Amino acid sequence: MMKFGIFYELSVPRPFSRANEWLTYHNALEQCRVADELGFDHVWTVEHHFLEEYSHCPAPEVFLTAVAAQTQRIRVGHGAVVCVPEMNNPIRVAERAAALDIISNGRLELGTARSSTWTELGGFCADPDDTKKTWDEFCRVIPQMWTDDDFGWEGARFEMPARNVIPKPFQEPHPPMWVTVTTPGTELDAAERGLGCLGVSAAPFAEQERRTKEYYRRVANCDPVGSFVNDQVHTLNFLYCHEDYRQAAALGLPMVGAFSMSNAHLYFTREAYPTRAYQTLGNAGAALRSRGTANGSTPADDPSVAKGLPEGVGIGDPDHLVRTIRKWEDVGVTGINFLLNAMEMIPQQQVLDSLRLFATEVIPQFQTADERAARVQAPTTVPEVSSPDGSAHSTMPAGASR
Amino acid sequence: MISGTAAVDELAAGAPEIAAFGTESVRLGGVTGLSLVAELRRPAREAVLPPGLHPIVPPAMSLLAWDVSESPWGAFSAAFVRVVCRSGARARTFCVGAAASTDDAVAGLRSQFGFPAQRTHVALRRHYDGVDLTVAPAGESDNGASVGHGAGPMLELSALDPDPLSVGDLQHVGSMNLAHTPLGLRLVQVETHHEPSRVERLAARIDAFDAAAWGQPLLDPYWVVSCSVSLEDVEIPAIRFVCDPALPAAEGTERVQ
């Protein structure tokens, strides 16, 4: 079954003000509440630092804790934790994620990443040469911290004497783990480790199909870093759904353009720091390639041509979106996460209307009758949990043990 | 999205003149190239760029230096001080100042590609364990182009401990040069093509930088990000695009061939 999620960079319009920051965060929280009611499957939130305008979301675990507290069933995607020790100690990642999993009643998905901008890596004085190695090590130690009562590690970039890292996550054996895939090839890193593929850059259908096919081929024989294989492939898209295609395009396409432009204005590591560890320009490079591949005639050096707007963008009327998502489904994608806005360009009411229309007209086209019925169920609560003194009080959701 | 705020009229003072757009590329052979990126302090972010270009965060300077064995202009050395920016969505640099060691190179760089080159002393020396670059005033030039201010060096840097990289690890970003052209005052887009045979990354230190001598007192390269040295051939293709410095690239770009 195709999964549908919403995805937040928390991009803030200039001129920056305390009010704009507040509005961006609180509009997003309201969208999460509505998406939860409408039956969306995931809400994902990035971790970025210093990326003015593009992403004001350095503390996704805080935002997601608020989401968890204000919603009932939507899964909270910590997507993704930057696995660079100058930014995050892996012990703290495991601890925070476990706490968030408990707070959310077992709804956490943990994404991992390594950052692609010099703005971020340089700001933390992190060595770009090392990020792939530290990411790999984080991916291996975090699930062990969640499941081992006496965990110690002596690795290449991280070590610790044996401790019991607590609390343990609510989900057993642990939350699903993912890798954000910005540059081509990272999907293979995900597959080899049994991690879900969380696409965060645009690729045309043919390219996505090629990557997805190879991902599935490799993940089938992987050596998982966690206790189980997460073999889902999600892609990132934009969403603006309106009954009138022209109105959808009129509001949605400028949002896509503004977001893509703000992305292109990031200072990517490869541009600032020659290294083997960053072979492409991240999202911007991917968008450029997709454009060139799509029409084959765009001069690579023409500055008047905007990058991006690859095929398969989720802007349009419900029928168009159903057809578009079918194509994503056909190339092996199991989930689509949507950016709903950029720099608050689309008024909040229209964002919510778009979400509701999509949930009413589009999502059901990808569900069986049983799945539709399951989505409208109230959150499941089960057995009472006994306190140490034997008195019964709180209830525990059924998903506690998988 | 932020844009440059520099007054185009002020930037235009002393801008080179391109009387006619050339159709031939210029090939530089046997080039030792140095590329250094340094972060700039915030006041330089918008203030040094024309409105048609967009700064990045954090603001950064890209320094390029060449020691050229063979070219249509003969052997020469040159250095280019550029501010990292975006033209539309494209990664570019805005060339604030340039220096070359011979009059022929100064003339060629100015008249064919709009680099604001001035005649100076440029010495790029590669040693077994590092590189030194010195740019210093060289007196009045034959073509009347202005020469660096003051008696001190315009630039001194040293880099040590070369660490080999593969030739594909180094990315070059094109330059936008403000010049008087047959189409008017324009940002001339110069995309150099590099064919490196060897690339090394080094740890660099800027020992002296006279921002005023490079024509932009706000430049303060206080934090070195990276430095690399390459052995390469370089092609400077004929100009294909120019942009109105006062307009965003989407509106102000013209194709010249």
Side-chain angles (χ1 to χ4, degrees):
Chain A
M1 181 177 76
M2 178 69 83
K3 303 281 188 185
F4 296 101
I6 55 178
F7 191 97
Y8 289 100
E9 301 277 0
L10 296 180
S11 56
V12 174
R14 290 181 188 274
F16 298 145
S17 68
R18 309 293 168 99
N20 277 346
E21 305 271 13
W22 186 94
L23 190 68
T24 300
Y25 270 74
H26 285 271
N27 279 350
L29 285 172
E30 183 182 24
Q31 291 158 18
C32 292
R33 293 193 296 271
V34 170
D36 182 49
E37 293 165 5
L38 292 172
F40 279 78
D41 298 289
H42 298 99
V43 48
W44 288 96
T45 308
V46 301
E47 177 186 338
H48 280 309
H49 304 270
F50 318 124
L51 301 186
E52 295 181 23
E53 207 167 15
Y54 178 76
S55 175
H56 291 219
C57 190
E61 70 278 9
V62 176
F63 178 83
L64 289 170
T65 301
V67 172
Q70 295 176 23
T71 59
Q72 298 297 316
R73 50 160 305 284
I74 198 167
R75 293 186 67 81
V76 289
H78 200 341
V81 169
V82 182
C83 296
V84 170
E86 289 81 357
M87 298 187 195
N88 291 298
N89 183 296
I91 301 170
R92 296 285 292 126
V93 173
E95 292 169 339
R96 289 194 311 249
L100 181 52
D101 196 45
I102 293 168
I103 294 289
S104 66
N105 294 326
R107 289 185 280 150
L108 179 70
E109 309 268 334
L110 185 78
T112 59
R114 63 181 181 125
S115 181
S116 62
T117 71
W118 173 257
T119 312
E120 295 168 280
L121 294 175
F124 281 91
C125 295
D127 184 346
D129 289 342
D130 283 348
T131 59
K132 196 86 173 185
K133 300 167 196 163
T134 58
W135 164 77
D136 179 67
E137 205 155 357
F138 275 45
C139 291
R140 294 178 191 284
V141 300
I142 289 169
Q144 293 184 56
M145 290 175 183
W146 281 337
T147 54
D148 191 339
D149 291 341
D150 189 31
F151 174 76
W153 185 264
E154 291 181 54
R157 296 293 186 279
F158 169 72
E159 59 183 8
M160 66 176 288
R163 295 287 189 278
N164 186 6
V165 179
I166 51 172
K168 301 303 181 194
F170 194 63
Q171 294 173 85
E172 291 182 10
H174 59 73
M177 290 180 67
W178 301 73
V179 184
T180 58
V181 178
T182 304
T183 55
T186 304
E187 72 276 6
L188 306 183
D189 295 327
E192 286 160 4
R193 292 161 180 78
L195 301 170
C197 188
L198 184 64
V200 293
S201 67
F205 290 125
E207 172 70 3
Q208 183 71 51
E209 182 171 32
R210 187 190 65 75
R211 290 194 217 169
T212 302
K213 193 176 288 183
E214 185 60 16
Y215 170 85
Y216 287 130
R217 190 180 74 79
R218 295 204 187 196
V219 78
N221 300 302
C222 72
D223 181 13
V225 294
S227 302
F228 60 95
V229 175
N230 176 19
D231 61 354
Q232 301 178 74
V233 176
H234 286 197
T235 188
L236 184 65
N237 208 319
F238 298 88
L239 177 64
Y240 189 65
C241 183
H242 194 282
E243 297 282 11
D244 181 342
Y245 183 90
R246 286 162 300 185
Q247 286 202 41
L251 263 185
L253 293 182
M255 180 258 292
V256 176
F259 182 83
S260 302
M261 189 68 88
S262 69
N263 176 270
H265 285 206
L266 304 179
Y267 197 22
F268 290 98
T269 300
R270 179 162 173 74
E271 193 181 343
Y273 192 90
T275 171
R276 293 186 193 92
Y278 287 86
Q279 291 292 316
T280 71
L281 281 178
N283 304 45
L288 177 61
R289 279 190 302 281
S290 70
R291 175 74 185 209
T293 305
N295 63 21
S297 60
T298 304
D301 54 353
D302 183 346
S304 67
V305 177
K307 294 176 181 177
L309 209 55
E311 57 187 343
V313 173
I315 306 290
D317 58 39
D319 287 344
H320 173 78
L321 294 183
V322 169
R323 289 194 302 274
T324 299
I325 293 167
R326 289 271 180 240
K327 290 182 184 172
W328 288 115
E329 199 173 41
D330 289 345
V331 301
V333 166
T334 60
I336 303 179
N337 299 305
F338 293 106
L339 286 157
L340 306 177
N341 209 346
M343 276 72 82
E344 299 303 299
M345 291 178 69
I346 303 178
Q348 173 76 345
Q349 188 55 53
Q350 286 164 274
V351 172
L352 299 178
D353 290 345
S354 163
L355 267 180
R356 291 189 174 105
L357 183 61
F358 183 84
T360 305
E361 300 292 332
V362 179
I363 290 180
Q365 304 300 316
F366 297 88
Q367 297 171 326
T368 64
D370 287 346
E371 288 162 352
R372 279 196 292 279
R375 278 181 192 256
V376 296
Q377 284 178 351
T380 308
T381 54
V382 276
E384 291 186 331
V385 178
S386 296
S387 65
D389 64 5
S391 62
H393 46 121
S394 61
T395 56
M396 178 185 288
S401 293
R402 290 161 33 117
Chain B
M1 185 170 57
I2 45 179
S3 300
T5 58
V8 173
D9 290 349
E10 292 176 16
L11 292 175
E17 180 174 357
I18 297 175
F21 293 114
T23 57
E24 302 293 324
S25 61
V26 169
R27 189 161 186 86
L28 313 178
V31 178
T32 299
L34 178 143
S35 180
L36 177 139
V37 172
E39 292 191 20
L40 299 168
R41 293 190 194 279
R42 190 106 173 183
R45 193 176 72 176
E46 292 101 314
V48 300
L49 295 174
L53 298 176
H54 309 283
I56 57 156
V57 178
M61 186 181 92
S62 168
L63 173 76
L64 187 65
W66 291 331
D67 182 66
V68 179
S69 301
E70 301 168 9
S71 85
W73 312 317
F76 70 96
S77 298
F80 308 88
V81 169
R82 312 176 308 169
V83 174
V84 181
C85 64
R86 297 289 181 265
S87 175
R90 310 283 167 174
R92 296 285 181 262
T93 58
F94 175 60
C95 191
V96 171
S101 61
T102 70
D103 289 337
D104 285 347
V106 168
L109 290 167
R110 291 179 71 91
S111 65
Q112 289 180 252
F113 300 105
F115 286 104
Q118 51 182 310
R119 172 75 189 278
T120 66
H121 169 73
V122 181
L124 177 60
R125 297 191 184 89
R126 186 165 176 272
H127 314 293
Y128 79 97
D129 63 343
V131 175
D132 296 318
L133 172 66
T134 301
V135 182
E140 196 68 28
S141 69
D142 297 341
N143 69 358
S146 63
V147 176
H149 301 206
M154 298 165 66
L155 171 67
E156 274 187 354
L157 72 82
S158 54
L160 288 172
D161 299 332
D163 183 16
L165 296 176
S166 64
V167 295
D169 292 335
L170 179 60
Q171 179 186 327
H172 290 279
V173 176
S175 183
M176 304 295 282
N177 303 335
L178 190 65
H180 300 282
T181 77
L183 297 171
L185 185 69
R186 292 290 185 271
L187 289 163
V188 175
Q189 181 172 300
V190 179
E191 291 274 356
T192 50
H193 297 165
H194 298 254
E195 298 166 18
S197 58
R198 180 171 176 168
V199 176
E200 296 166 339
R201 195 178 63 208
L202 306 93
R205 186 179 70 193
I206 297 174
D207 298 310
F209 184 78
D210 182 351
W214 290 98
Q216 182 44 268
L218 286 175
L219 297 184
D220 178 13
Y222 77 103
W223 188 279
V224 174
V225 172
S226 67
C227 179
S228 61
V229 169
S230 53
L231 301 180
E232 60 189 6
D233 291 336
V234 178
E235 182 189 10
I236 315 177
I239 293 161
R240 299 175 65 210
F241 295 99
V242 297
C243 301
D244 187 324
L247 295 175
E251 300 168 29
T253 298
E254 296 161 273
R255 189 167 187 160
V256 298
Q257 56 187 301

